[in-house]
Amino acid sequence: DDPMRYACQANAILGIGDVYTWFDLGLPGGRAGNENVPNAVTLDTTVNVETRIAQIFAMEGFPANHTGNLFNGGRLDAPYIASLAYDAHTRDIRPVDLPGMQTISTHWVDVREGQQLEGRANNPYWLAAKYGGFKVPVGFDPDVNGVTPLDQAWWNASNEILTDRSGVQFPRADNFYVASEADKMVAGLRRAFQNIVQEATASGSSLSSNSTVLRNGTKIYQAQYVTGRWSGDILAYNVDPVSGNLTEDWRASTNVPAWATRKIFVNSGGYRAFTYGNLNGAHATALGSQQVVDYLRGERANETQNGLLLRSRASLIGDIVDSQPIYVGAPNATLYTGKLFNGASAHPAYAAAQSTRRSVVYVGANDGMLHGFDATTGAETYAFVPSAAIANLRDYSDPDYIHRYYVDGEITVADAYFGGRWRSVLVGTMGRGGRGVFALDVTDPDNVEFLWEKTSSDVSAIGNVIGKPIIAQVANGDWRVFVGNGPNGNGDRAQLIMFDLDDGDDVVVDTGEGNDNGMFGVNAWASGLSEFVDTIYAGDLRGNMWKIKDLDGSPSVQRFFNANSGGIVRPITVTPTVAVNPTTAETWVMFGTGSYLTLADQTNRDLQQWFGLVDRGSAIADRSGLEQVDILQQGTSSGTLVRTIETTAAPGADGWYIDLIEPGASDTGERMVVPNIFRGGALIGVTRIPDNTVTDPCNASGATGFIMAINPFTGGRLDTPPFDINGDGNFDSNDGLNGTPGAGFGLDAGTYSPLLISDRFYLNDQNANITQGRVPFGTQPPIRVSWREIIRN
């Protein structure tokens, strides 16, 4: 049977044997001797083993006529196994019948015939493991690479050294295992299978970038994780300024400093270096020993792969699931131009002083740490262990570890003026990992300062904060952090929490709406009456959209709208998007409904909806004033699943709504669980459709979905089709169904909010695949969509 059953599977070959092989010259392009070579092999032009081995010899620094023990005329043997391994590892071996890039990794156990190990110049298995097992950067082409040697970090991440039969030392390729005794054979096989499992990666958050403009130096950052091994990584991609194509630049997992030298700090009775001796009594008891703390810092001598007691890791970075990487570069000198609040005039000087500071990518990981990585090299610059992560962090080192979340929440970074000076402040949350919020001063990335941390012990309303924190001013000099309390807060009510940015003092605004409730992502809005934020919009699990005003005094709470109808409770778990209609100057609030947080959510098939609402000051009592916009068609065009929607000249008195369902279908449970975004005159939304009956393991969460772009102020079809469905470079009626332009296209897996750079969009899905395409929108939105916009180039 065909071993390649699914397009997303990890394909691996594991071999066991000695290097003294026989009769393997008869391969495509090879130096065939007197072997009986099948005609199919002779006619095979998909690979030329002689071309590939010449490249490998050149990369290894061997002479072109290198033979050694690799070409043996008597045995008719050759190192062509390395040629095949390299070719199959870097080129698509099934370009016609399977989507995506299908490659094979090679793992080999050398049993050392005669108890001796051949060195790299005479060991075809070492060559096959190296060239068939290195971490292939995105966009790597063996023909383009030519004879440029592979970066050692790609194939020798373990830094282990072997000694050959002559006493010469050389690095062990990560997929090469040495054994000649039973126990060593078992250990080698165990490591091989662990590494094979490591090849199946996933991703759980949106992409980020260092620029909104496509140009030289533009990079995209992606978080990844591996289930089972529970390791994580940040990958940086260079973006071609002409084509928009991506090539891998670095991986953070290969740039972690030596464990004893890492700059890791902890909040444990104060802000201090993360060592066992610096922990307070409760935290020392929770973590248990110096060995566990050293393990968390990255020390590997006690891992089970070395025969000892702590969990074996594939990477020193824990899995990164829901935390989106955030790029922090030099401050934007024009950010507060024309503003009059205290410190505004001093911001350009601050930005100039920080213009050459190191650029860093920050992200939370489920190893209990917030990490910072140099945005240029990927080297870890900093890590922080919040006190809220420590209680159960010892479990992470247990060989029987069952996955749990630790520092899994969203991050926000903004420039703020307090204490008489400007600072760049990072606010992070524990997300699904706990009930806590923390703030760090990251002005100097080489000397990060701790500001404060608040947990549910300090503020009982704090639940699992799922939404992204917001940093904003509510009055002159009054800088705040805004979060929705999330589920599992004490009382299970929907509550807004405001923290003073400088010291974490809190104000809790209670909506009074309970029943297993919680407030989710908030949007801070400046109505234009002043230059400060005066309104918060946020949804909750019970279908309410809340509007909270008078933030610098006694806040007032208004139930602006309730999305429920027909007995269906429609949770609002996304941050609402707010914008001003440039034609009418009215404020609009846009959001979709649905939840994807629990096991029950995966089987829920309730009809969810997409809303655009006009805020004229009064609450919207019901949907009688909303115009229903219909999805007209859904079908296949140019091999792509496409949707069309109706054209509406105007919305209803209070706005519009769209039922998220295929025309004529029964309820599928389609929902919106990531925020809408604007680009130009378009509102872009991504939906997710769970399906527990799916049998394709390539769809890890059993979810598909759609990306759609509509007119934000009518809910209807855009004048110009938003996506080039047929790939002909034009945006016209051919990008749709039956002459009707499409509003969106189907997604093969659960996908996150798109990243827009100039006229390109990039979609990250749950299988860590990045899809790109073009949009006809301009590089900047012509409508005001937030109280301020921060761009860090």
Side-chain angles (χ1 to χ4, degrees), residues 504-524:
D505 284 353
D506 65 278
V507 174
V508 177
V509 182
D510 192 346
T511 66
E513 186 77 9
N515 190 15
D516 293 327
N517 206 356
M519 182 177 287
F520 282 73
V522 303
N523 193 318

Side-chain angles (χ1 to χ4, degrees), residues 11-76:
N11 304 299
I13 291 174
L14 172 61
I16 307 170
D18 67 83
V19 299
Y20 308 117
T21 60
W22 292 72
F23 296 107
D24 50 3
L25 284 170
L27 292 166
R31 311 175 189 177
N34 60 2
E35 299 164 291
N36 182 17
V37 181
N39 192 49
V41 174
T42 303
L43 297 176
D44 187 349
T45 60
T46 62
V47 59
N48 187 301
V49 293
E50 188 65 21
T51 299
R52 288 286 178 249
I53 204 62
Q55 290 177 317
I56 290 171
F57 283 175
M59 286 187 278
E60 290 299 313
F62 302 158
N65 61 349
H66 174 66
T67 56
N69 292 334
L70 293 182
F71 283 104
N72 187 299
R75 293 197 306 263
L76 297 178

Side-chain angles (χ1 to χ4, degrees), residues 375-556:
T376 301
T377 67
E380 185 188 62
T381 61
Y382 172 80
F384 171 65
V385 182
S387 64
I390 294 178
N392 300 300
L393 191 53
R394 184 178 182 178
D395 293 350
Y396 185 74
S397 67
D398 191 328
D400 297 321
Y401 172 67
I402 298 175
H403 181 262
R404 64 189 310 153
Y405 297 100
Y406 292 102
V407 185
D408 191 60
E410 293 270 29
I411 299 167
T412 292
V413 180
D415 292 344
Y417 186 81
F418 59 94
R421 62 188 177 95
W422 280 99
R423 317 179 195 204
S424 295
V425 179
L426 179 152
V427 176
T429 69
M430 304 299 290
R432 291 159 176 80
R435 299 167 62 188
V437 182
F438 57 88
L440 302 169
D441 182 339
V442 296
T443 305
D444 181 356
D446 297 315
N447 186 28
V448 175
E449 299 178 23
F450 175 74
L451 294 177
W452 49 265
E453 179 181 359
K454 298 293 180 179
T455 70
S456 56
S457 298
D458 306 303
V459 185
S460 64
I462 297 177
N464 293 102
V465 177
I466 302 299
K468 194 177 189 71
I470 296 291
I471 299 173
Q473 266 192 110
V474 299
N476 195 353
D478 189 353
W479 292 84
R480 304 273 184 95
V481 176
F482 300 89
V483 298
N485 68 322
N488 302 321
N490 285 359
D492 287 321
R493 295 192 299 275
Q495 297 171 308
L496 171 70
I497 307 176
M498 300 185 290
F499 299 99
D500 286 346
L501 184 59
D502 58 347
D503 59 14
D505 284 353
D506 65 278
V507 174
V508 177
V509 182
D510 192 346
T511 66
E513 186 77 9
N515 190 15
D516 293 327
N517 206 356
M519 182 177 287
F520 282 73
V522 303
N523 193 318
W525 183 253
S527 65
L529 300 177
S530 73
E531 57 188 340
F532 306 117
V533 162
D534 54 23
T535 305
I536 293 291
Y537 295 95
D540 70 16
L541 279 173
R542 309 307 300 172
N544 300 297
M545 177 55 62
W546 299 100
K547 178 182 177 182
I548 302 173
K549 294 184 66 66
D550 304 320
L551 303 175
D552 61 337
S554 298
S556 62

